[in-house]
Amino acid sequence: GLLMNVGIPTSSFQAETELKSGFNAWKVRPGLSLGYANSQLYVYGFGSYAWYGEEVFNRIYLGAEIGLRLSEKLIIAAFLSSFQAIEEDGIGLDFNLTGLYINGQQYNTVTFKIINEFIPNKFGAFAAFGGGSGDLVASSPALTFGVFLR
């Protein structure tokens, strides 16, 4: 399917902590997602390009996930993602007053998931372990847990 994400300029700065949140720039991010599924397997992928106003790098987002149903309740999956900054002429990295959102952040990740559907196709939980590498991002792996309803 086609995707469209529009962001408005929102940012705040706290002098006490020197942290800034959000981007003070407009964003337009069209994209495309494709997927396939049957009773044992699913495959999903997406891609998009984000244009930012002001002096913020544009970005490319890519991702793909594949999952395999091992039993009525158990699914394993792998997810790959990439978030790449595209440098524009004249735009440099600004470490002053950027805090949590540093212009030029980019990364590649791989995540493995195990999903248990307690009530098949209705309710379940998952655990995921992922990590990756990149520029201007935390480099430690993540372990996440969650529950879901369909």
Side-chain angles (χ1 to χ4, degrees):
L2 297 176
L3 310 168
M4 178 58 77
N5 180 288
V6 177
I8 61 172
T10 58
S11 67
S12 64
F13 175 70
Q14 296 179 352
E16 315 80 61
T17 61
E18 296 186 352
L19 289 180
K20 176 184 174 183
S21 63
F23 283 113
N24 191 25
W26 284 91
K27 174 181 73 172
V28 177
R29 184 176 141 197
L32 178 66
S33 66
L34 300 170
Y36 168 80
N38 62 32
S39 62
Q40 298 298 312
L41 174 76
Y42 73 88
V43 179
Y44 166 77
F46 68 89
S48 65
Y49 188 90
W51 286 277
Y52 287 84
E54 302 302 320
E55 292 189 353
V56 178
F57 287 5
N58 294 331
R59 292 171 167 79
I60 294 175
Y61 298 86
L62 299 171
E65 183 168 337
I66 185 168
L68 180 64
R69 185 176 289 278
L70 299 178
S71 69
E72 181 183 8
K73 295 183 177 186
L74 191 64
I75 300 168
I76 57 170
F79 178 71
L80 302 171
S81 68
S82 183
F83 175 82
Q84 299 300 313
I86 307 300
E87 186 174 352
E88 299 292 329
D89 289 339
I91 299 176
L93 294 179
D94 178 10
F95 291 100
N96 296 326
L97 306 180
T98 56
L100 300 176
Y101 294 88
I102 298 173
N103 196 16
Q105 288 177 321
Q106 55 188 8
Y107 57 81
N108 296 301
T109 67
V110 62
T111 302
F112 298 98
K113 296 190 233 181
I114 186 162
I115 303 162
N116 186 14
E117 295 182 327
F118 301 116
I119 302 172
N121 295 315
K122 293 190 179 181
F123 171 71
F126 70 89
F129 179 77
S133 64
D135 297 323
L136 307 173
V137 294
S139 59
S140 54
L143 180 59
T144 58
F145 301 95
V147 295
F148 62 90
L149 293 170
R150 289 190 191 191

